[in-house]
Amino acid sequence: MPTSSADANLLKIVTLVRLAPECVAALATSGFGPFATHMCESRVEAVRQLAEAGGDALILADDGSEAARDAAAEVARDVAILVVVARLEAAIVLDWLHRGAQDVLLQADLATPSLPLRLRAAIERKRREHDARTAYSTDVETGLPHQQQLIEHMSQLIALREREPAPMALLAVRIEGFATTEARLGAEAASVLRRKVAVRLRAGVRASDVVASIDDEFFAVLLGSILTPADATRVGTKLMKSLMEPFKVAGHDVAVATAFGVGQYPQDGAQPDALLRYAVDLAANEPALGRAGFSNYGKAGLPGAANDD
């Protein structure tokens, strides 16, 4: 979480809503802060201010324009978002909460004594979210992002796609072969194989694509920028061909079998969880290809193969 001052107790608030002088003074001396406020005239200025100087919260107004949604989408990962609305309609409030806002206020709330408390509560919620995310954001074995980190990447891209529609796809990759490798060559060999699979997946896509570890036997590849939906199938075919080449592990040639599921945005899921679930379900039910004839191949029912097939 970015810090806003050499004084660790000072909380920086960037606002696109003009605050009354008495409100600014109250925030500066509040026991829930103290808070330092910086008024910005535009979304671009606010985003730049947060990127360059850091910040703890952004206050913006829902004026019905895309600018407010764009500002929230660009900074919601790092700072608490408080949205000022004209009326507390359930649809409006829930939409902002789904977009990652920590609190929704009325204009009148900016002049009440409870504002410092609500600001601090929003910031603390964001900090707890950040701590939970980063504590388990990386798979230690492969160095890849975990599922939660993938969901966050997807959320940010989907927020941008709502403004600028463009094809996006998620590949779910199911891998068979780890369990029989562990049974025959040991746990460390299975870990080495998993790391090598991760490296091969990462090498097979662009730097801008996201490869994540989402389960012991599942990986995912987020293709955030494709020209046509058919590009996702092409990438999947390329990755499958790469993974069918044997791996050298503990002096043995071992292989994995792979099954892919492709989820297209938005037709297969307009939200990250739904899109991921769609792709994973396809991969889980698709027959895996490869691995026959290698030392870590076991037919269904044979010892060591039950968790693999």
Side-chain angles (χ1 to χ4, degrees):
M1 194 80 173
T3 56
S4 56
S5 171
D7 182 354
N9 295 320
L10 184 64
L11 302 174
K12 183 173 181 180
I13 311 302
V14 174
T15 177
L16 285 163
V17 179
R18 196 165 297 279
L19 303 176
E22 55 270 26
C23 176
V24 173
L27 290 173
T29 58
S30 171
F32 290 107
F35 303 93
T37 59
H38 181 90
M39 175 67 194
C40 295
E41 298 295 338
S42 69
R43 172 186 67 87
V44 173
E45 182 187 350
V47 171
R48 182 172 62 246
Q49 175 69 23
L50 288 166
E52 294 176 354
D56 297 286
L58 171 67
I59 302 175
L60 55 86
D62 178 10
D63 58 3
S65 71
E66 289 298 321
R69 294 177 175 83
D70 291 345
E74 289 181 81
V75 303
R77 174 181 169 82
D78 296 317
V79 304
I81 304 293
L82 293 91
V83 182
V84 179
V85 297
R87 53 193 180 279
L88 291 178
E89 291 185 1
I92 296 173
V93 173
L94 291 175
D95 178 62
W96 275 111
L97 294 177
H98 290 158
R99 291 176 183 274
Q102 273 64 53
D103 201 357
V104 180
L105 306 86
L106 291 170
Q107 183 69 36
D109 294 328
L110 298 177
T112 63
S114 65
L115 178 61
L117 169 59
R118 294 181 72 164
L119 268 171
R120 185 58 182 263
I123 290 170
E124 291 301 321
R125 283 195 292 271
K126 190 64 183 181
R127 286 177 170 176
R128 300 291 81 77
E129 175 191 309
H130 176 271
D131 291 344
R133 181 180 73 235
T134 56
Y136 302 101
S137 62
T138 302
D139 175 34
V140 175
E141 190 172 74
T142 64
L144 296 176
H146 265 320
Q147 179 170 321
Q148 183 56 39
Q149 193 80 348
L150 173 67
I151 291 292
E152 291 194 14
H153 281 291
M154 294 169 67
S155 297
Q156 292 174 10
L157 284 175
I158 286 174
L160 294 175
R161 291 294 177 272
E162 291 177 355
R163 177 168 57 90
E164 299 177 0
M168 184 175 78
L170 181 73
L171 307 181
V173 188
R174 177 168 60 88
I175 303 292
E176 294 183 357
F178 298 133
T180 45
T181 296
E182 180 173 352
R184 289 161 181 162
L185 301 176
E188 179 56 30
S191 294
V192 170
L193 176 60
R194 195 163 181 271
R195 287 195 294 272
K196 291 193 172 190
V197 167
V199 168
R200 201 169 286 184
L201 284 171
R202 182 66 268 176
V205 296
R206 301 163 300 185
S208 60
D209 297 325
V210 178
V211 179
S213 170
I214 57 175
D215 189 80
D216 288 344
E217 295 184 344
F218 278 85
F219 294 85
V221 180
L222 176 60
L223 304 176
S225 176
I226 55 178
L227 296 177
T228 68
D231 288 340
T233 302
R234 179 183 57 77
V235 172
T237 301
K238 173 186 172 184
L239 291 175
M240 178 172 284
K241 182 178 179 180
S242 169
L243 291 173
M244 291 182 75
E245 294 293 325
F247 297 82
K248 183 68 72 174
V249 177
H252 295 266
D253 282 337
V254 298
V256 297
T258 60
F260 278 79
V262 180
Q264 304 280 357
Y265 170 83
Q267 57 265 43
D268 297 328
Q271 295 300 320
D273 288 335
L275 188 60
L276 177 60
R277 185 166 55 251
Y278 180 89
V280 167
D281 285 348
L282 287 179
N285 292 292
E286 188 74 14
L289 301 178
R291 202 156 60 98
F294 286 86
S295 62
N296 63 329
Y297 173 70
K299 293 184 178 179
L302 293 181
N307 293 330
D308 237 15
D309 294 294

